[in-house]
Amino acid sequence: MKARRLIASVLLLAVALACTDRTPTSVPAAPAPDASLIGSLLGATGLLKCSNLPYASSTKTIGTLGGTISAGPHTLVVPPGALLNPTTITMTAPTGLGVNAVKFQPAGLRFTVPAALTMSYANCSLLGKILPKRIAYTDDNLNIISYLLSLDNLLSKYVTGKVNHFSDYVIAW
């Protein structure tokens, strides 16, 4: 009999403790995630936020047999037959834009066969390492005009796109 009372008392105590409201009167707000850990997007433009790379520029004459030109970690490969005449090309990787960008001269140059532009995003936000990337053709104010047909290599952190003409290009998501 005493054992039953003891068990009943222990059970009642356990139930009473379980039913006691132990929730705090206020729950501390969760801290906002630090955008610098995952990267942020530049507005609604879809441009990938990156740390600044050093300014880089190179000039090279590329003929009918094609060739390669680089500026910083970015490279343009012009295939044979893409140019009808030897052409002096300048490729620039500007700095201070918060994105990885390249600019080409002579402006408006068109290729008879598309060239391949490969751009690095190794210096970009973590978000950029997860989302698929593509190369965007932009105006001087970084407004996207169109996207190039692009292939993203997540392992090497490079994206390659087909370039039909010279303009300004930026990595986008």
Side-chain angles (χ1 to χ4, degrees), residues 25 38 48 50 53 97 111 113 152:
T25 55
I38 60 170
L48 187 63
C50 303
L53 291 171
L97 301 175
F111 299 104
V113 176
D152 182 13

Side-chain angles (χ1 to χ4, degrees), residues 33-94:
D34 183 1
S36 66
L37 295 177
I38 60 170
S40 61
L41 306 175
L42 291 178
T45 63
L47 300 182
L48 187 63
K49 183 174 173 41
C50 303
S51 60
N52 289 324
L53 291 171
Y55 175 86
S57 181
S58 62
T59 300
K60 187 173 185 180
T61 299
I62 297 179
T64 58
L65 296 178
T68 302
I69 185 170
S70 296
H74 316 300
T75 303
L76 178 75
V77 177
V78 180
L83 294 170
L84 299 176
N85 300 304
T87 306
T88 301
I89 295 174
T90 299
M91 180 178 181
T92 304

Side-chain angles (χ1 to χ4, degrees), residues 88 90 103-110 165-168:
T88 301
T90 299
K103 296 176 180 272
F104 293 98
Q105 293 292 327
L109 176 69
R110 294 201 171 272
H165 63 88
F166 273 171
S167 194
D168 298 345

Side-chain angles (χ1 to χ4, degrees), residues 5 28 54 81 118 127 133 146 148-149 160 163 171:
R5 278 191 204 159
T118 300
L127 182 63
K133 269 83 45 218
S146 65
L148 303 183
L149 179 60
T160 301
V163 174
I171 298 178

